[in-house]
Amino acid sequence: MSADVMQRAERPAWMEKPRPVTQGVKGLTLVFTVLVVIVPFWVVLATSFAPDKQVIANGGYALWPDRWTTNAYDLIFSGGQITRAMLVSGGVTVVGTTFSLVCTIMLAYALARPGVVGGKPVMLLVLFTFLFPAGMIPSFLVVNGMGMRNTYWALFLPVLINAFNLVVMRGFFQGIPAELFESAKIDGAGELRTLVTIVLPLSKAVIAVVGLFYAVGYWNDFFRAILYTDQATMWPLQTWMRTYVVQSQNSLISVQGGVSEQIQFAPQTVNMAVVVLATVPILCVYPFIQRYFTKGVLTGAVKS
């Protein structure tokens, strides 16, 4: 069989043979899209490692540093507040994601099992909160009334379970064959053992996807720290990044005894360095979970 015949056999009947012009346009479009994504991040990275004089001379940015330097990163970590903010962000992300995954898995499993008492009203309540979320003032009143203000609990407990993630995971659990649950019941396994030994090993894809959703949400959140805490020492990294970049403050802040005082000048390189520090951890985690996205999200979204 010739190569042309084999190629036609591999293509569906409705798919025409690709033309060179079409292939070239697709390639150029792909290259353009990649450049649109990579160039801004490269500018941020190069600016963070560029000397101050070059950045100032180029209007605040650098495409390629004349001399690679880590002065901006040394300046950031010498102040102490960014190091603490990174620890706060990491701790909130790890603890919050763990708590959220455990609670979401348990609630989704309970709502996915047939015959659960009160399952339908609870599901309707979850969907109601998904369509009509609580506002900022009610959330603040609840957190303040429970005594969680100025505590790290306020950074993840108010958003412990996301309704969308719950619906996705519940749909995935509903797609597991009922025969597996029946065989586990015949063997004498309870609900908890069935969840741990049968459901969770089959749900690695959706757990990875939902876990990444939670982790990205906790890592990128900056508003809850402003809303629920009065102490800058409790701010996560994203809140400090907002202070540096969005408000264009050109000074490093040293927090001592709850009083903020300006101690060193921070050029544009420091702003870019903070952006890099806030972005790189998620970029390092994402490639390992990307392969689960299609399977986890689409399979979990088939049923609701």
Side-chain angles (χ1 to χ4, degrees):
M1 187 180 292
S2 63
D4 187 56
V5 174
M6 292 180 62
Q7 206 171 29
R8 283 202 305 267
E10 293 175 356
R11 292 198 307 270
W14 49 266
M15 183 180 295
E16 299 180 358
K17 182 179 179 180
R19 300 177 181 179
V21 177
T22 304
Q23 294 293 89
V25 172
K26 290 181 179 179
L28 291 176
T29 304
L30 180 61
V31 171
F32 175 77
T33 305
V34 171
L35 290 177
V36 168
V37 174
I38 292 180
V39 168
F41 182 75
W42 171 255
V43 170
V44 172
L45 185 65
T47 304
S48 68
F49 285 101
D52 296 343
K53 293 182 179 180
Q54 180 186 3
V55 174
I56 295 174
N58 294 340
Y61 299 96
L63 290 177
W64 186 267
D66 296 336
R67 177 175 57 86
W68 292 81
T69 175
T70 60
N71 291 339
Y73 295 92
D74 296 338
L75 189 62
I76 288 174
F77 289 111
S78 64
Q81 72 278 4
I82 294 299
T83 305
R84 182 180 178 84
M86 292 186 67
L87 294 177
V88 171
S89 293
V92 170
T93 301
V94 172
V95 176
T97 302
T98 303
F99 274 68
S100 294
L101 274 179
V102 171
C103 295
T104 303
I105 289 172
M106 296 180 67
L107 182 57
Y109 177 75
L111 295 177
R113 302 294 293 132
V116 176
V117 178
K120 184 171 293 185
V122 172
M123 190 62 200
L124 292 176
L125 182 62
V126 170
L127 294 177
F128 181 83
T129 60
F130 180 62
L131 297 175
F132 304 98
M136 179 177 64
I137 296 177
S139 299
F140 178 84
L141 293 176
V142 170
V143 171
N144 188 49
M146 297 182 66
M148 291 192 300
R149 282 203 63 210
N150 294 318
T151 65
Y152 292 115
W153 296 103
L155 300 182
F156 63 90
L157 279 185
V159 288
L160 191 62
I161 296 180
N162 182 276
F164 173 78
N165 294 337
L166 177 66
V167 171
V168 170
M169 189 167 289
R170 173 179 175 267
F172 190 94
F173 290 164
Q174 287 181 323
I176 298 177
E179 291 79 4
L180 294 177
F181 296 99
E182 294 175 359
S183 62
K185 188 175 181 180
I186 293 174
D187 292 338
E191 295 293 345
L192 181 60
R193 185 177 179 184
T194 302
L195 173 63
V196 174
T197 59
I198 295 179
V199 176
L200 293 185
L202 296 175
S203 308
K204 294 179 181 178
V206 71
I207 291 175
V209 171
V210 170
L212 183 62
F213 285 166
Y214 276 125
V216 171
Y218 285 125
W219 180 265
N220 289 335
D221 182 70
F222 69 92
F223 185 68
R224 275 191 293 274
I226 299 175
L227 185 62
Y228 300 137
T229 62
D230 298 329
Q231 303 174 13
T233 53
M234 299 181 63
W235 283 3
L237 181 61
Q238 301 296 340
T239 307
W240 281 107
M241 185 179 72
R242 175 184 177 275
T243 302
Y244 290 147
V245 180
V246 177
Q247 295 183 351
S248 300
Q249 292 186 0
N250 290 324
S251 59
L252 283 177
I253 305 298
S254 175
V255 181
Q256 298 176 354
V259 180
S260 300
E261 58 178 351
Q262 298 179 357
I263 57 174
Q264 284 181 319
F265 178 76
Q268 188 75 10
T269 54
V270 175
N271 296 340
M272 298 298 103
V274 174
V275 174
V276 172
L277 292 175
T279 307
V280 167
I282 294 298
L283 290 181
C284 294
V285 174
Y286 180 79
F288 298 99
I289 305 180
Q290 180 186 12
R291 60 194 181 98
Y292 293 112
F293 260 69
T294 303
K295 181 179 178 182
V297 174
L298 294 184
T299 305
V302 171
K303 295 183 179 182
S304 60

